[in-house]
């Protein structure tokens, strides 16, 4: 059972949200984590943690996860009681809304927790403890996805974690909106955003990504997608990317966490 607390753990976010804001993150989760959801002997349980003032992101996440595993159930969790009450009319089979926070007050352990635009307001020093707490609510093979995006979902960066800790960092964008890959720096999650300075790995990664993007300029005549794919191929020579052209075509690049982890 979920741990019992007298009050939700955490503080309210601004609550801003828009329909389809998290579509890039959702599609990545469905593609990458879909096989694990399908292997679950029981209907897999997902959580949209801190969905905001409107329930759109929770409704959309369930719909996208069900393209990978139709048995999926989802809880939207919010720390503001008024937001939970406002979301109740949108409940339906497999979708419920609860008052709570980082304690994740749902029965049992969960296959997926998505926490988008939640930790931006916290101090960097608080992130590791939140990650550990949330990962402690995961079922074996479960996934935590924590990151940040802009207001209309053009640019995202997120960290994927399992029970052992952070595994990968994904950069995702609508390619037509991008001048250079380092434009994504403003959407780095809290664990990395203050580390985008000389001497830190994430700074070197974005610098090398920009260089690969510049070198791939001749591919721009074939479109931004082809230029991005060529840049990713060049980047993979020096950085441990975990994906390939199928995901690169979506405007994504995923790199192992240990390559970008902050230096202590």
């Amino acid at each position: 059972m979920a741990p019992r607390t007298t009050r939700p753990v955490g503080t309210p976010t601004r609550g801003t949200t828009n329909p389809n804001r998290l579509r890039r993150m959702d599609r990545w989760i469905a593609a990458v984590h879909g096989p694990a959801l399908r292997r679950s002997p029981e209907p897999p349980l997902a959580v949209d943690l801190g969905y905001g003032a409107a329930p759109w992101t929770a409704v959309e996440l369930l719909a996208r996860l069900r393209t990978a595993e139709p048995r999926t159930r989802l809880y939207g969790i919010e720390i503001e009681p008024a937001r939970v009450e406002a979301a109740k009319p949108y409940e339906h089979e497999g979708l419920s809304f609860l008052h709570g926070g980082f304690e994740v007050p749902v029965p049992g352990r969960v296959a997926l927790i998505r926490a988008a635009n939640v930790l931006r307001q916290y101090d960097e020093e608080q992130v590791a403890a939140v990650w550990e707490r949330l990962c402690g609510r995961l079922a074996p093979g479960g996934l935590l996805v924590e990151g940040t995006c802009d207001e209309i979902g053009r640019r995202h960066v997120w960290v994927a974690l399992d029970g052992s800790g952070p595994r990968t960092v994904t950069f995702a964008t609508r390619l037509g909106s991008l001048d250079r890959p380092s434009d994504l720096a403003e959407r780095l999650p809290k664990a990395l955003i203050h580390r985008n300075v000389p001497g830190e790995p994430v700074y070197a990664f974005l610098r090398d990504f920009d260089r690969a993007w510049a070198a791939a300029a001749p591919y721009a005549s074939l479109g931004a997608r082809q230029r991005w794919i060529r840049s990713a191929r060049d980047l993979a020579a020096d950085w441990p990317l975990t994906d390939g052209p199928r995901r690169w075509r979506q405007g994504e690049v995923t790199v192992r966490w240990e390559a970008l982890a902050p230096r202590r």
Side-chain angles (χ1 to χ4, degrees), residues 222-236:
L222 302 176
R225 177 176 288 116
Q226 293 304 314
R227 186 178 182 182
W228 179 268
I229 291 171
R230 181 67 229 187
S231 301
R233 287 189 189 278
D234 291 347
L235 195 64

Side-chain angles (χ1 to χ4, degrees), residues 10 28-30 35 38 47 51 63 77 84 89 111-112 186 188 195 217 222:
W28 182 88
I29 293 170
R38 290 189 289 272
V47 167
Y51 57 83
I77 296 178
V84 179
L112 170 73
E186 64 184 17
L188 287 168
R195 302 302 182 127
L222 302 176

Side-chain angles (χ1 to χ4, degrees), residues 11-179:
T11 57
T13 64
R14 291 186 302 159
T16 55
T17 188
N18 283 300
N20 271 327
R21 184 183 186 186
L22 302 180
R23 61 194 179 278
R24 300 181 195 283
M25 186 183 290
D26 292 353
R27 291 167 184 166
W28 182 88
I29 293 170
V32 172
H33 197 49
L37 298 177
R38 290 189 289 272
R39 287 193 297 268
S40 174
E42 301 295 330
L45 179 61
V47 167
D48 185 12
L49 182 63
Y51 57 83
W56 320 133
T57 61
V59 173
E60 292 163 356
L61 176 58
L62 178 60
R64 289 166 183 146
L65 292 178
R66 283 187 164 179
T67 66
E69 173 46 76
R71 299 175 301 156
T72 304
R73 298 173 295 131
L74 187 138
Y75 284 98
I77 296 178
E78 249 299 334
I79 201 166
E80 282 281 8
R83 295 175 186 173
V84 179
E85 289 304 311
K88 286 291 185 180
Y90 295 88
E91 291 186 335
H92 58 75
E93 182 275 323
L95 176 64
S96 301
F97 295 93
L98 295 176
H99 180 220
F102 295 138
E103 77 282 5
V104 188
V106 302
R109 298 188 181 274
V110 298
L112 170 73
I113 300 173
R114 185 189 66 185
N117 303 304
V118 172
L119 294 184
R120 291 280 286 197
Q121 68 185 17
Y122 288 81
D123 293 334
E124 181 184 355
E125 292 74 18
Q126 297 175 282
V127 171
V130 173
W131 280 358
E132 183 177 6
R133 183 168 197 142
L134 294 178
C135 285
R137 298 292 290 117
L138 295 175
L143 188 72
L144 165 64
V145 179
E146 187 273 307
T148 305
C149 71
D150 66 359
E151 288 73 12
I152 58 175
R154 295 172 303 173
R155 298 173 183 174
H156 293 245
V157 187
W158 61 80
V159 181
L161 306 92
D162 62 18
S164 63
R167 310 301 297 170
T168 60
V169 184
T170 298
F171 298 79
T173 186
R174 183 170 70 84
L175 292 170
S177 71
L178 196 73
D179 290 328

Side-chain angles (χ1 to χ4, degrees), residues 180-183 205-215 235:
R180 59 182 65 85
S182 62
D183 290 348
F205 176 79
L206 290 170
R207 177 202 63 203
D208 289 356
F209 206 166
D210 278 354
R211 289 174 177 172
W213 180 255
L235 195 64

